[in-house]
Amino acid sequence: IGLELPPDDPGLLAGKPFYGINLWPELDGWRETVLEYYDACWTLGRLIHRGFALDLGVAENFFEDKLDHPIATLRLLHYPPARASVAAGQDGAGEHTDYGNLTILATDGVAGLQVRPRGGDWIDAPAIPGAFVCNIGDCLMRWSNDVYVSTPHRVVMPVKDRYSIAFFLDPNGDAAVEVLPSCLAPGQVAKYPPITGAEYLRSRLDATYDHRKAPALS
């Protein structure tokens, strides 16, 4: 589920990338329930970014106008249990980092999610009742010039059905993503050139999915 937009949304009519109309199943109360949860995660994500801003040495509301029309996606995920022996490398989700700024993950307590700390080996992410798992993503890593580092994680095959809900908060498509001056030590240069939120997401998708890559010229 993406940002809920009316059919006459100007950006939608202009064909801006990564925005579209949500398609809803005919289930009583489903759309209302899911959108309420989407909006709650969006609000929480912006609140967490106020803390990020203060920590990174910029105005507390720095990220607010960069997250008011976000490329944010809510995924409702089901990992079925392994039904036989699992070969090496066959995971529920392979090792990766998230593309955006922040991921807010709700789990059902079934083990499976693993994270790799800096300089360490894989550990099981604890399931704390009433708490979210939050991952910093690659885009915020870029904004902070690697002061923040995105978290490698994976999902191993669970022993029973596992359900999770992931909210991926990417910035607005037209947001300028550029290294914050406050994240540069004297004499240090930015590791990343400026880019928009949509351009950055497109670059990550093109690098990940072969079918998106331009064919080589003969």
Side-chain angles (χ1 to χ4, degrees):
I1 299 97
L3 188 66
E4 181 75 347
L5 300 171
D8 60 351
D9 177 81
L12 195 63
L13 295 176
K16 289 188 175 182
F18 304 115
Y19 295 102
I21 295 293
N22 287 317
L23 304 178
W24 297 101
E26 295 182 4
L27 297 171
D28 289 342
W30 177 255
R31 175 179 176 274
E32 293 77 13
T33 299
V34 172
L35 286 180
E36 183 179 358
Y37 186 81
Y38 183 105
D39 289 343
C41 287
W42 183 15
T43 298
L44 175 60
R46 297 200 309 273
L47 178 62
I48 293 173
H49 272 78
R50 298 182 81 88
F52 288 154
L54 292 174
D55 185 54
L56 294 172
V58 295
E60 184 176 345
N61 66 349
F62 172 82
F63 289 104
E64 190 61 30
D65 64 353
K66 300 161 185 66
L67 297 170
D68 58 4
H69 200 266
I71 307 174
T73 305
L74 185 70
R75 284 186 175 180
L76 295 91
L77 304 168
H78 171 223
Y79 299 90
R83 306 192 186 281
S85 60
V86 178
Q90 289 186 327
D91 295 320
E95 176 183 352
H96 64 285
T97 55
D98 294 334
Y99 299 154
N101 272 26
L102 177 69
T103 301
I104 299 173
L105 181 72
T107 70
D108 61 358
V110 175
L113 177 64
Q114 295 185 331
V115 297
R116 192 178 67 207
R118 299 190 202 187
D121 202 354
W122 292 100
I123 60 173
D124 294 326
I128 303 173
F132 291 109
V133 175
C134 293
N135 283 335
I136 285 173
D138 299 333
C139 191
L140 190 58
M141 180 174 167
R142 186 184 184 103
W143 236 316
S144 70
N145 209 42
D146 295 355
V147 171
Y148 291 167
V149 177
S150 51
T151 311
H153 54 284
R154 66 186 182 187
V155 178
V156 299
M157 289 288 191
V159 297
K160 61 180 181 179
D161 288 283
R162 179 179 184 271
Y163 295 87
S164 66
I165 305 175
F167 180 76
F168 301 97
L169 182 53
D170 291 56
N172 299 357
D174 58 1
V177 179
E178 51 189 329
V179 171
L180 299 172
S182 59
C183 294
L184 295 173
Q188 185 182 17
V189 298
K191 297 180 180 180
Y192 308 101
I195 197 170
T196 67
E199 289 169 341
Y200 179 67
L201 181 56
R202 182 185 290 112
S203 72
R204 293 304 310 275
L205 293 172
D206 287 344
T208 302
Y209 298 102
D210 286 339
H211 70 274
R212 292 180 56 88
K213 297 176 184 176
L217 297 177
S218 57

